[in-house]
Amino acid sequence: LRIAVIGLGLIGGSVALAAREGGAEVVAWDVSEEVAEPAFAKGIAVTIGGPLDQVVAGADVVFLAAPVGVLPELLVDVLRTAPAGCVVTDVGSTKRPIVAAAAGDERFVGGHPLAGAETAGVGHAREDLFKGAVWYLTPTVDSDGLLYERLHRLISSFGAQVAVIEPEQHDQALALVSHLPHVLANVLVSQTADVLSGQGERLPATGPSFRDLTRVAGANSGIWGDIYLSNRDALVEAIDDTVARLQRVRSSLASADRAAVVQWNDRAAADRRRLLDGQLSAGELNEIRVSVPNRPGVVAELALELGRAGVNIADMALHPAPDMASGVVILWIAGAAAADKAEQILVSMEFPVFRA
Amino acid sequence: LRIAVIGLGLIGGSVALAAREGGAEVVAWDVSEEVAEPAFAKGIAVTIGGPLDQVVAGADVVFLAAPVGVLPELLVDVLRTAPAGCVVTDVGSTKRPIVAAAAGDERFVGGHPLAGAETAGVGHAREDLFKGAVWYLTPTVDSDGLLYERLHRLISSFGAQVAVIEPEQHDQALALVSHLPHVLANVLVSQTADVLSGQGERLPATGPSFRDLTRVAGANSGIWGDIYLSNRDALVEAIDDTVARLQRVRSSLASADRAAVVQWNDRAAADRRRLLDGQLSAGELNEIRVSVPNRPGVVAELALELGRAGVNIADMALHPAPDMASGVVILWIAGAAAADKAEQILVSMEFPVFRA
């Protein structure tokens, strides 16, 4: 397998190392001279600047790991030069702009690994960065099934848990679970600094709640400027919702309505438990075999349907029949309950299902 | 030293254990039968219900460690029965209501240890809960110097770092560094749960920022209902400021104003660094001796003035002259720079200062 990594930061570097660990041949490309030395130290072959053609030529998988803001333009360039049987993906934290830029090209599958927020730069790259991490993929009905499978298997081999999701749903969810938390952290830290410096030099000891809430404040502007802007419509909607909710609790407080405040707080406790429970997924891998017609989009359709029901595909394999008119998709699902649900969904989609 | 603890939860229980460890005689009182068994298991003598008189009689220090909502009423009861030479303090997280309830009684000094948010109940009490924790004290000019000193030394002996602060400033600061973070955590967790459950069953994997921001969501309503309500005016003001700031960044995002978004984010980064720096306090203890007239309020005045300048008194001792007309206050300050600043302030207050 030949892998090309375009953009050699923490994520790109870790993709390169994880792919090499799995036996792939890896080439990388970056615009910045500064990555050359740390890349060399890690044994990653990197081309600095110049045309992308030579790097992308002959690649089986291309990872775009540049800042979110330049990804759509970069994708158009890469799709122009990448070979026909090459799957192209990205690692950007917003998915609608790049999916739109792909314009239905069957070689593109959007991606987003949830990993590596704490450091930056190829110097921090490590082959096990994605072990246990969720890696979102956003295939569409245009995505080629065989190319999708290759990418899915490669990412699973990094130790990541692939989660399939629509681009719109991904961006709305990320606005809530990542971008809005960063906004709130920024607001809280600057508000506190402003009010307390107005009181002279005293900055009081802060409890664990403040430290928790502000840990991500002022994240790298080079990365986060792009992220905020690329998902700004979803983020604006989320901020409006936050403001409305703050105004409701403000009103309960101002009128000293204890019952309303307690109910609101209890509700948050229940919601937190529910969200945490939703993330507990474990158990034995169950193998499910599904016969499918070999038409474009069928793999994505299936993965999306399971994704919508909250079933994560731990791993998958695709076996086309020799006549290429049909095939078998083998899915591995963690946990008996999730596997049962997957089976029901696949049966309801009218695919023949076989469970060992 | 005889210590009475009124209210035997995590904080009250830990005060009892820490005081006993230091050689004090400790008695406790609580309204709930349920604390009897875990208190017995830890060897704490507890009276359940009945009049407070016998528990408070003969006490040198009384700690009120009941829920914030009942503290003002409880304080009035205790001050009615506590002996003349007894210092009464509390551990509530809001200070203005109880300071008002003290009505200038020279025996009262408000307090608030920043410790123990993670668990609750006397069963979790431990003698080292306050080691390294900040313990706010809010003496006023009415507070008796000798009684204040006794309390300060006792709390320092628990391993806590005493920080002196005005009640108003404490409540405004706590609204920002504790109560508002809890409000934001509640809002974020319920908003996310609502939006994502509208999308079917999928609750996506959440990144570290979401986990950080929502860790304190839905904290115990029995405790937090009181806290929110007792500090509601400061909290409402803080929420209004948050809403105004959210609306400003919303407007920058909606108009895709990259420069404004980046500036806002860089500002948060700088504010976070400044707040963290403000909390770094360490270094050798420096001893400063100050001669003061033995008039009411002088110790509080001195501690407040240092507190305003951000100087924490690591420990203190009061040596009245035999004629009680004057005395020497010995202060221990961590770090040479802080000690120099303390010395300047004390000199500017026209007290004779001696540094060994």
Side-chain angles (χ1 to χ4, degrees), chain B residues 309-327:
Chain B
V311 174
N312 283 318
I313 303 168
D315 201 357
M316 75 184 299
L318 206 60
H319 296 269
D323 65 357
M324 295 297 277
S326 69

Side-chain angles (χ1 to χ4, degrees), chain A residues 136 172 186 190-191 194 199 201-202 204 219 221 238 240 242 245 250 253 265-267 271 307 341, chain B residues 136 172 186 190-191 194 199 201-202 204 219 221 232 238 240 242 245 250 253 265-267 271 307 341:
Chain A
Y136 285 116
Q172 186 186 33
N186 279 4
S190 287
Q191 175 174 353
D194 285 354
Q199 297 181 341
E201 292 176 60
R202 167 173 287 279
S221 281
D240 287 345
T242 304
R245 287 165 189 268
R250 181 219 191 273
L253 287 166
N265 190 63
D266 286 343
R267 175 68 209 291
D271 287 333
K341 193 190 256 182
Chain B
Y136 285 116
Q172 186 186 32
N186 280 4
S190 288
Q191 175 174 351
D194 286 353
Q199 298 182 340
E201 291 176 60
R202 167 175 285 281
S221 282
R232 64 182 180 278
D240 288 344
T242 303
R245 287 165 189 267
R250 181 217 191 273
L253 287 166
N265 189 64
D266 286 343
R267 176 68 209 290
D271 286 334
K341 193 189 255 183

Side-chain angles (χ1 to χ4, degrees), chain B residues 19-143:
Chain B
R20 193 182 60 187
E21 173 80 1
E25 181 193 348
V26 178
V27 292
W29 183 95
D30 199 289
V31 286
S32 165
E33 274 291 351
E34 285 170 33
V35 308
E37 200 182 296
F40 182 79
K42 292 187 179 282
I44 303 170
V46 59
T47 303
I48 304 296
L52 286 167
D53 311 39
Q54 286 114 322
V55 182
V56 170
D60 299 301
V61 185
V62 177
F63 284 88
L64 306 181
V68 166
V70 303
L71 286 178
E73 201 179 338
L74 189 63
L75 176 64
V76 172
D77 278 359
V78 166
L79 287 175
R80 203 177 290 132
T81 53
C86 171
V87 58
V88 179
T89 188
D90 76 308
V91 299
S93 60
T94 311
K95 299 269 58 77
R96 286 165 305 159
I98 195 162
V99 169
D105 193 303
E106 64 173 12
R107 294 168 296 169
F108 180 71
V109 177
H112 176 211
L114 293 182
E118 294 77 18
T119 58
V122 66
H124 292 275
R126 35 182 244 262
E127 66 199 24
D128 63 354
L129 185 71
F130 309 113
K131 281 243 162 73
V134 166
W135 192 310
Y136 285 116
L137 288 179
T138 63
T140 67
V141 289
D142 298 316
S143 307

Side-chain angles (χ1 to χ4, degrees), chain B residues 7-27:
Chain B
L8 202 59
L10 171 66
I11 300 292
S14 297
V15 165
L17 294 175
R20 193 182 60 187
E21 173 80 1
E25 181 193 348
V26 178
V27 292

